[in-house]
């Protein structure tokens, strides 16, 4: 682990914030380019929408962090107001960002689905890059690997006793998100070559939601931390994303088919 990446004028610069900042900056620029070039937004539109997206992400990420560590905050309620301490939660951040996008695009008379579609692939790469920041910081760690386990992709954390290993949950999530992001890039190119537009009817965004929900539901069984009814907060959001994404995908697919065949009832 390397929680401090370097020192600047004597002050420590945390790996966690550097890696996530780079990931979010890259996502912002990439989404901006996609939204303008392919989804009919102007530069001013993107700037206005992003303000509310980021606001929703920050609020959602902090609320998710509180629920992720509810037992600790229950014992230390005064720490709740120290918003500069602790980490962030990606699942609730996504929900907050989407809600912020829906609210602003509705007021602008724009399509929230088109904007979320533009940001769907960059969002996966944000997670795929940002989770390495979690690994360097030593947060979001996995459960202790049981003795005799055949799992070879494990890590030893400095706060554990010698010989104790944990599941590399941060790496699992990062690699899974990067792999599916590359897959969706391939799918998008196939759709473009076949003349299928997802500007009006999103297909990539709901697919990304189903994937994100699925891997959170799976990998969070290997993560340490508080549970609610036996599930981590990320898994609860995962179930919501799977249901929401599936219904959204089916609706978009049906609408896309109907537009392509106007005479179909």
């Amino acid at each position: 682990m390397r929680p401090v990446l370097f020192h600047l004028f004597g002050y420590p610069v945390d790996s966690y914030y550097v890696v996530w900042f780079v990931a979010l900056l890259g996502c912002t620029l990439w989404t901006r380019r996609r939204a303008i070039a392919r989804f009919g937004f102007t530069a001013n539109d993107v700037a206005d929408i992003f303000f509310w997206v980021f606001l929703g992400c920050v609020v959602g990420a902090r609320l998710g962090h509180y629920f992720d560590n509810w037992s600790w905050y229950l014992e230390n309620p005064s720490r709740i107001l120290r918003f500069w301490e602790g980490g962030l939660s990606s699942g609730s951040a996504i929900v907050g960002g989407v809600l912020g996008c829906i609210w602003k695009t509705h007021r602008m008379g724009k399509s929230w689905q088109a904007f979320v579609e533009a940001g769907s692939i960059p969002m996966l790469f944000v997670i795929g890059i940002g989770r390495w920041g979690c690994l360097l910081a030593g947060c979001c760690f996995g459960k202790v690997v049981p003795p005799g386990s055949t799992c070879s992709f494990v890590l030893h954390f400095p706060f554990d006793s010698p010989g104790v290993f944990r599941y590399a949950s941060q790496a699992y999530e990062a690699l899974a998100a990067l792999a599916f992001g590359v897959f969706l890039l391939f799918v998008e190119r196939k759709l473009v070559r076949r003349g299928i537009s997802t500007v009006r009817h999103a297909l990539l965004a709901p697919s990304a939601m189903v994937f994100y929900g699925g891997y959170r539901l799976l990998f969070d069984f290997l993560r340490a931390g508080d549970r609610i009814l036996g599930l981590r907060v990320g898994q609860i959001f995962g179930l919501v994303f799977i249901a929401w994404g599936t219904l959204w995908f089916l609706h978009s697919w049906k609408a896309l088919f109907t537009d392509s065949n106007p005479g179909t009832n």
Side-chain angles (χ1 to χ4, degrees):
M1 310 307 107
R2 188 172 180 176
V4 177
L5 193 60
F6 56 86
H7 286 78
L8 185 63
F9 303 114
Y11 292 95
V13 178
D14 293 340
S15 304
Y16 179 90
Y17 293 110
V18 170
V19 175
W20 275 104
F21 173 78
V22 170
L24 288 169
L25 179 61
C27 167
T28 301
L29 297 176
W30 192 6
T31 300
R32 180 182 184 275
R33 179 180 177 182
R34 286 168 56 84
I36 295 173
R38 297 192 55 239
F39 292 88
F41 293 91
T42 67
N44 288 335
D45 291 339
V46 174
D48 290 342
I49 296 169
F50 259 133
F51 173 81
W52 292 98
V53 169
F54 283 134
L55 182 62
C57 283
V58 170
V59 173
R62 288 304 297 172
L63 290 176
H65 170 74
Y66 294 143
F67 283 109
D68 257 339
N69 302 276
W70 61 267
S71 64
W72 189 87
Y73 283 105
L74 194 63
E75 297 176 358
N76 304 273
S78 63
R79 295 280 183 173
I80 293 177
L81 298 178
R82 299 189 179 188
F83 57 86
W84 59 89
E85 295 182 350
L88 305 170
S89 177
S90 61
S92 53
I94 294 172
V95 172
V98 171
L99 292 177
C101 175
I102 292 173
W103 185 84
K104 185 58 180 178
T105 51
H106 176 72
R107 290 178 61 88
M108 296 171 63
K110 301 288 184 177
S111 169
W112 70 269
Q113 293 193 54
F115 195 83
V116 174
E117 184 80 343
S120 58
I121 296 176
M123 180 270 293
L124 289 171
F125 279 85
V126 166
I127 298 172
I129 297 171
R131 281 299 181 198
W132 296 108
C134 298
L135 180 60
L136 290 172
C139 64
C140 306
F141 47 82
K143 291 181 176 180
V144 173
V145 178
S149 173
T150 57
C151 181
S152 58
F153 197 4
V154 297
L155 295 170
H156 172 72
F157 286 78
F159 51 77
D160 282 322
S161 303
V164 174
F165 294 90
R166 293 179 180 271
Y167 293 107
S169 57
Q170 309 98 321
Y172 301 160
E173 293 187 38
L175 294 174
L178 288 172
F180 199 72
V182 172
F183 171 74
L184 282 189
L185 277 174
F186 174 79
V187 171
E188 185 176 47
R189 289 187 179 183
K190 286 287 187 181
L191 292 175
V192 170
R193 288 175 183 173
R194 296 184 180 184
I196 300 175
S197 173
T198 61
V199 174
R200 293 183 58 192
H201 308 297
L203 294 176
L204 304 176
S207 299
M209 290 185 69
V210 172
F211 166 77
Y212 177 85
Y215 91 69
R216 286 305 300 263
L217 187 62
L218 175 64
F219 290 148
D220 274 26
F221 280 115
L222 303 179
R223 277 182 61 174
D226 291 336
R227 258 75 176 168
I228 299 176
L229 300 178
L231 297 175
R232 286 182 50 81
V233 172
Q235 292 175 295
I236 296 173
F237 276 113
L239 291 171
V240 173
F241 286 161
I242 291 172
W244 183 2
T246 300
L247 293 175
W248 185 6
F249 183 89
L250 293 175
H251 174 76
S252 293
W253 186 264
K254 181 180 178 181
L256 186 65
F257 178 78
T258 302
D259 285 353
S260 302
N261 301 274
T264 303
N265 295 321

